Amino acid sequence: MLVKIDGVENKEFSRNKNLFLTFLKDNTHSGKLSPQVEVFKSIDVQKDSFHWVMSTFDVDRDFEKVDPSGWNLKNYLANPVILWSHDYSIPAIGYAENVKADTVLEGDIVFNSKEFDEFGWSIGERVKAGALRCGSVGFIAEEVEFLESKDRECDLIFRKQELLEFSICCVPANPFARNGEKKLEITEVIQDLEELSYWDKLTKGLARA
């Protein structure tokens, strides 16, 4: 909760709801407040996330295909790391959310904050600017179908595979593994303000979210 008195934030009131209630009681006369009090509901702004097609059933540059129905995501969902160019020697630059495999393997990517990972954050900034758009899956093959006919469109199809990680990279094997539109999630935090119900009536017209 953010509380302003005559246009200036009062940090003590913003942190301590009970202190703010006492102030209201002491400064309310005949249903009107002496100073102008503005109460703002808290807003929790989530990090930018980027929707990404991680893998498709298209023939890639290695003349291989990955069957989207064969993805084993169990272990990855417990550790949904995002790496830079399949580099296992450095910490993850972000994590994935909402990962699923239907007609394609897809999910939302959240990059690390600048405060603790300037490199990971910088990759996210490059994605945001459009300088980086592609990615690549790292996986363990569990079942492979080799194709031998002369008119085949590819050499083999990975039919079952366990996803280990997803990497942002400059040039992926699958050119269709790329990000879509940026998603910015803004979620309103519902505060427990039942104690303010009476005082809300007194401040009607002064409280806004």
Side-chain angles (χ1 to χ4, degrees):
M1 182 174 68
L2 172 63
V3 178
K4 288 186 178 181
I5 308 297
D6 291 330
V8 179
E9 180 187 359
N10 187 300
K11 294 183 179 179
E12 290 297 321
F13 289 166
S14 295
R15 288 194 295 263
N16 191 326
K17 185 166 57 179
N18 290 328
L19 188 62
F20 176 55
L21 284 170
T22 301
F23 168 80
L24 285 178
K25 292 177 182 178
D26 292 343
N27 289 274
T28 301
H29 305 284
S30 302
K32 295 183 179 180
L33 288 170
S34 298
Q36 183 181 17
V37 179
E38 298 172 287
V39 181
F40 297 84
K41 291 181 180 179
S42 298
I43 297 294
D44 180 19
V45 180
Q46 305 292 332
K47 296 180 181 178
D48 287 349
S49 65
F50 301 85
H51 187 71
W52 218 286
V53 174
M54 298 175 168
S55 178
T56 68
F57 203 16
D58 296 286
V59 178
D60 63 25
R61 293 182 172 108
D62 296 321
F63 298 101
E64 300 170 346
K65 296 174 67 173
V66 182
D67 190 340
S69 66
W71 283 109
N72 177 354
L73 303 177
K74 181 180 179 181
N75 291 328
Y76 182 74
L77 293 178
N79 183 42
V81 292
I82 301 299
L83 305 183
W84 166 248
S85 199
H86 303 297
D87 190 345
Y88 286 47
S89 67
I90 62 174
I93 62 173
Y95 60 91
E97 297 180 320
N98 308 314
V99 178
K100 61 180 181 179
D102 189 6
T103 56
V104 297
L105 176 66
E106 59 186 327
D108 300 324
I109 292 178
V110 180
F111 292 96
N112 292 341
S113 298
K114 185 178 182 181
E115 288 74 13
F116 68 90
D117 182 10
E118 190 164 352
F119 175 71
W121 169 82
S122 72
I123 298 301
E125 289 299 294
R126 288 174 172 84
V127 170
K128 186 185 297 186
L132 287 172
R133 305 181 184 185
C134 295
S136 176
V137 286
F139 61 91
I140 295 175
E142 297 178 342
E143 182 180 316
V144 181
E145 177 184 352
F146 292 93
L147 306 178
E148 297 181 356
S149 61
K150 292 183 179 181
D151 59 347
R152 66 184 185 276
E153 63 174 343
C154 62
D155 294 331
L156 61 87
I157 300 174
F158 293 102
R159 290 298 185 183
K160 291 183 180 180
Q161 55 282 333
E162 177 187 350
L163 181 63
L164 300 179
E165 50 87 8
F166 182 73
S167 287
I168 307 302
C169 63
C170 295
V171 183
N174 185 342
F176 302 101
R178 53 181 181 241
N179 76 308
E181 295 182 358
K182 180 184 69 173
K183 295 171 60 182
L184 179 61
E185 303 293 341
I186 302 180
T187 306
E188 183 177 349
V189 178
I190 305 300
Q191 302 281 357
D192 181 13
L193 298 178
E194 291 182 357
E195 301 97 309
L196 287 175
S197 59
Y198 171 71
W199 303 104
D200 282 343
K201 297 177 183 178
L202 298 179
T203 59
K204 186 176 182 181
L206 296 177
R208 59 178 185 267

